[in-house]
Amino acid sequence: MARQNGYWVGDQFVETNAPIKTGREILVEAGRDPMRTVVAVNTRGERTIIDKSEHVQVGQYERFEDLPSFIYG
């Protein structure tokens, strides 16, 4: 079986040929609200918050999660 190019956002697979995406692009291409928080999950289950303008290599993460954005004050 051929390896698919893309990444997981929750339980949705998003196909892409671009190995690097911004946090905002990850959400928009998955049809998610771009105001939500992007969390990258690696193969060990460690979670990292991704800034909307940060460029990440989507292939180095197991999946991405979108969480409600919170404003701390």
Side-chain angles (χ1 to χ4, degrees), residues 13-73:
F13 186 77
V14 180
E15 289 189 46
T16 184
N17 289 327
I20 298 175
K21 297 281 182 180
T22 64
R24 185 177 188 335
E25 290 172 331
I26 290 168
L27 291 175
V28 169
E29 290 178 359
R32 308 291 173 97
D33 181 355
M35 297 307 293
R36 292 177 65 90
T37 299
V38 182
V39 177
V41 182
N42 67 18
T43 55
R44 294 183 297 193
E46 298 169 334
R47 289 169 165 73
T48 304
I49 295 175
I50 304 296
D51 186 73
K52 302 264 188 319
S53 61
E54 183 178 349
H55 289 83
V56 296
Q57 291 184 320
V58 295
Q60 84 180 59
Y61 295 102
E62 186 75 18
R63 69 180 185 282
F64 296 91
E65 299 172 348
D66 65 313
L67 303 173
S69 292
F70 298 99
I71 298 175
Y72 296 95

